[in-house]
Amino acid sequence: MSTLLIKNGTIVNEGKVFKADLFIENDSISKISDEINCAADKVIDATGLHIFPGVIDDQVHFREPGLTHKGCIASESKAAIAGGVTSFIEQPNTVPNAVTQEILEEKYQIAANTSFANYSFMMGGTNDNLEEVLKTNPRNVAGIKLFLGSSTGNMLVDNEEVLEKIFSSTKMLIAVHCEDEQTIRENLSKAKEQFGEEIPVNQHPVIRSAEACYKSSSKAIELAKKTGARLHIFHISTGIETGLFRNDIPLEEKMITAEVCVHHLYFSEEDYATKGNFIKWNPAVKSATDREKIWEALLDDRIDVIATDHAPHTLEEKSQKYMQAPSGGPLVQHSLITMLEFAKKGKISIEKVAQKMMHNPALLFKIEKRGFVKEGFFADLALVDLNSEEWIVSKDNILYQCGWSPLEGVGFTSKIVSTILNGKVVMENGQINEQPQGQRLLFNR
C-alpha cells in the first residue's frame, strides 16, 4: 500500500472552499478532515495552495494514430498533466477514423501503454456504420461522436435517415459538432467571388457563420427531442445558440447539454488581426457580443461544461494561407490557468470553474468516481498557487509537440504546482514523472 498525506491545503469542491487535510491510500482518497496526523510514504505541505479535482477535458484531439507529426497521446497527455488535466475524452477523427470497434480498441491499447492522463475515446458515427456504433460498450466508452459539419475523412453525417436511426437506436451519449454544411458552402462561394483564393482569415466567422451553427444545433436538438436521445453539443460559439438550452432543471435530469471551449471564452473576431490562423477553429471564433452571451449562458448554467477542443497542428501547417491552413489549436496545458485568471478578474468564481471543468463532465458522462474531492473517489487532484509570480507562456515552457500556443506572450499569476493522478504525484514543480500512469475511464451506465 502506498500512502500520501496532503496537509494545510484549501479544497475547492461542490461549491465550497475550505481548509482541510487529505489522506490518500493507493489510488483513492480515504480521509478528508480538518487535521490528519499519521505516517505516510509522502507528505505534501499545501499551505497557500488550492486543491481542485483534476480537470476532465471532454473534447480533445491527440492525433494518434495517423497524424502523429502533429502530436501523439504521450506528448499531449503529458501537456495535459502539466496543466492539471487528469482525464481526457479523445475524438475519433484520427487516421484511420475510429469508426469500427477494432480501430477504437487499438486506440485504447496505445493509451494503455503511453498515456500520462486517464483516458477515454469516442466511437465515431458515419453514414454507413450504424451496426458498429451499436456494438459500443457504454461501460468503458465515453460516447458516440457525430460530425454534422465537414471534418476529416468519411465522418460527415449528412444522411438524415441515418442520423435519425443513430439517435433513436442508442441510449449512449451522442456528442455532436454542429455546423450546417450547405450554409458554409454557400458562404465560401461568396467569399471566393469577393476575394478569389486570397480570402483573409477574418472571413472565417463569416464563412462558418452563426447561422450555420444555429441551423445545425437547433436541428440536432429537435431530433433529440423527437427520439429521446441523450445529446451533448460540443463547442458552442454563438450567442443565438445559447437560447436553445435549459437551466431550470438539474444537470442529472438534462437530456440535452452543452459545452463551451476556452478559446470561445477568451478570443473574439478582433483577434484575427494579430493571431491570424492561430485562432482559426471550427466552429469559428466570432464576435465579442457572441462571447459575452456565451459567458452569460455559462454562468447561468445553460452551458454545462468548459473544455478545450485541443487540436494541435504544426507551425508550418498553420503558417499557410487561410484556405490551406487547418483549423484547430493546442490548449490543454493552459485551460485551467486561463479560467483561474478569469476568476481572479471577477469574471467567474473558482467554485464555478470546478463545477464546469471537473464536476459537470464527471456527472454528464457518468464517469465512475472522478471529478470530485471526496472520500472513496480516485485521487485525481490539481494543486494550484493562485498567487504565483507572473509567468509568461513561451516556447520554453510549452509541452505540446507542435511547440506553439495561441496564448504565447500571455502572462499568468496562477500556476499548477502539482498534479496527482490515481493517488500518485505525476507532476511537481514543473517536473513530470516519465512513467505513464493513465487509467481507462469507466462509466456508471
Side-chain angles (χ1 to χ4, degrees):
M1 179 182 289
S2 63
T3 54
L4 172 64
L5 177 60
I6 305 175
K7 297 280 293 179
N8 309 314
T10 300
I11 294 171
V12 183
N13 189 64
E14 294 186 282
K16 296 177 182 176
V17 180
F18 59 98
K19 290 194 174 180
D21 294 350
L22 279 168
F23 190 64
I24 296 163
E25 295 181 90
N26 292 332
D27 59 6
S28 299
I29 299 168
S30 62
K31 189 175 183 181
I32 302 171
S33 185
D34 291 343
E35 188 169 3
I36 302 172
N37 293 303
C38 62
D41 297 328
K42 182 177 175 68
V43 179
I44 294 175
D45 183 359
T47 301
L49 302 181
H50 284 71
I51 302 171
F52 289 83
V55 174
I56 300 171
D57 194 329
D58 81 348
Q59 186 190 183
V60 302
H61 302 264
F62 281 179
R63 303 305 193 195
E64 191 171 9
L67 299 165
T68 52
H69 67 286
K70 301 173 190 278
C72 63
I73 290 170
S75 66
E76 307 313 287
S77 65
K78 188 181 285 189
I81 286 295
V85 177
T86 52
S87 298
F88 64 84
I89 297 173
E90 209 260 2
Q91 304 307 302
N93 56 330
T94 40
V95 180
N97 298 153
V99 295
T100 69
Q101 295 299 321
E102 184 180 6
I103 295 169
L104 179 65
E105 193 54 40
E106 285 171 3
K107 291 179 71 168
Y108 278 105
Q109 291 304 313
I110 295 168
N113 294 322
T114 66
S115 184
F116 286 80
N118 302 318
Y119 53 88
S120 191
F121 297 90
M122 286 276 194
M123 174 65 181
T126 72
N127 282 329
D128 51 18
N129 77 332
L130 178 61
E131 192 174 317
E132 284 293 306
V133 165
L134 295 181
K135 293 177 187 174
T136 307
N137 184 347
R139 173 66 174 153
N140 62 10
V141 177
I144 311 301
K145 172 67 179 287
L146 303 178
F147 289 89
L148 309 187
S150 57
S151 183
T152 304
N154 179 35
M155 294 209 67
L156 173 63
V157 183
D158 55 3
N159 183 316
E160 294 193 10
E161 186 179 337
V162 169
L163 199 57
E164 183 161 345
K165 276 185 181 175
I166 295 173
F167 270 59
S168 59
S169 300
T170 180
K171 293 299 179 187
M172 288 191 72
L173 181 145
I174 300 169
V176 290
H177 174 131
C178 286
E179 290 183 285
D180 182 67
E181 190 64 18
Q182 185 60 38
T183 303
I184 292 168
R185 285 176 185 155
E186 290 169 3
N187 291 341
L188 179 59
S189 179
K190 290 174 189 173
K192 284 182 175 178
E193 284 177 19
Q194 184 176 355
F195 299 101
E197 293 299 313
E198 300 295 323
I199 300 172
V201 68
N202 64 11
Q203 293 300 298
H204 194 53
V206 178
I207 295 167
R208 303 189 84 97
S209 63
E211 179 195 6
C213 294
Y214 182 80
K215 190 172 182 180
S216 183
S217 294
S218 57
K219 193 173 179 180
I221 288 171
E222 186 181 334
L223 185 57
K225 288 177 177 177
K226 176 183 176 182
T227 59
R230 173 67 185 91
L231 179 68
H232 184 50
I233 298 187
F234 278 155
H235 43 45
I236 296 299
S237 65
T238 75
I240 191 171
E241 287 173 286
T242 62
L244 295 169
F245 304 102
R246 297 176 63 177
N247 61 358
D248 59 336
I249 55 174
L251 177 65
E252 293 90 335
E253 294 178 21
K254 289 185 180 184
M255 290 296 286
I256 298 165
T257 50
E259 169 217 273
V260 65
C261 292
V262 172
H263 49 278
H264 290 125
L265 295 170
Y266 191 91
F267 297 106
S268 78
E269 63 187 1
E270 296 163 13
D271 295 304
Y272 287 111
T274 55
K275 294 290 185 179
N277 291 329
F278 294 105
I279 61 163
K280 182 186 177 188
W281 277 279
N282 297 340
V285 168
K286 297 183 176 67
S287 72
T289 301
D290 284 307
R291 180 176 61 189
E292 283 311 303
K293 287 183 177 176
I294 293 167
W295 267 106
E296 288 172 15
L298 177 72
L299 295 173
D300 73 15
D301 296 334
R302 282 174 289 156
I303 293 178
D304 306 290
V305 169
I306 300 169
T308 64
D309 195 14
H310 174 91
H313 298 284
T314 67
L315 270 170
E316 183 181 16
E317 289 168 333
K318 275 293 195 178
S319 298
Q320 298 176 98
K321 292 179 180 180
Y322 166 73
M323 288 288 286
Q324 285 74 48
S327 295
L331 275 170
V332 75
Q333 186 182 344
H334 302 106
S335 57
L336 178 54
I337 56 161
T338 299
M339 295 312 302
L340 292 175
E341 206 67 24
F342 278 126
K344 293 183 77 169
K345 293 173 181 173
K347 190 78 174 172
I348 188 171
S349 69
I350 58 174
E351 298 95 321
K352 202 79 164 174
V353 170
Q355 179 193 17
K356 302 295 184 176
M357 300 187 81
M358 298 102 173
H359 304 334
N360 283 5
L363 294 171
L364 190 152
F365 283 89
K366 300 184 178 178
I367 301 172
E368 185 172 274
K369 293 186 178 180
R370 302 192 193 271
F372 296 85
V373 183
K374 273 185 178 178
E375 292 178 0
F377 274 54
F378 287 104
D380 293 344
L381 306 168
L383 277 58
V384 183
D385 182 356
L386 290 178
N387 297 292
S388 70
E389 289 186 9
E390 185 179 43
W391 61 280
I392 309 294
V393 177
S394 71
K395 289 193 171 13
D396 293 336
N397 51 41
I398 290 168
L399 295 185
Y400 312 128
Q401 182 178 302
C402 65
W404 64 274
S405 165
L407 297 170
E408 279 178 66
V410 175
F412 290 99
T413 55
S414 294
K415 190 170 237 179
I416 315 301
V417 175
S418 297
T419 304
I420 295 165
L421 184 80
N422 305 311
K424 296 182 175 67
V425 180
V426 292
M427 190 281 288
E428 196 165 25
N429 296 316
Q431 299 300 307
I432 295 176
N433 183 332
E434 291 298 324
Q435 183 65 38
Q437 303 282 348
Q439 295 181 8
R440 183 169 182 163
L441 298 177
L442 295 175
F443 304 89
N444 291 317
R445 38 174 152 87

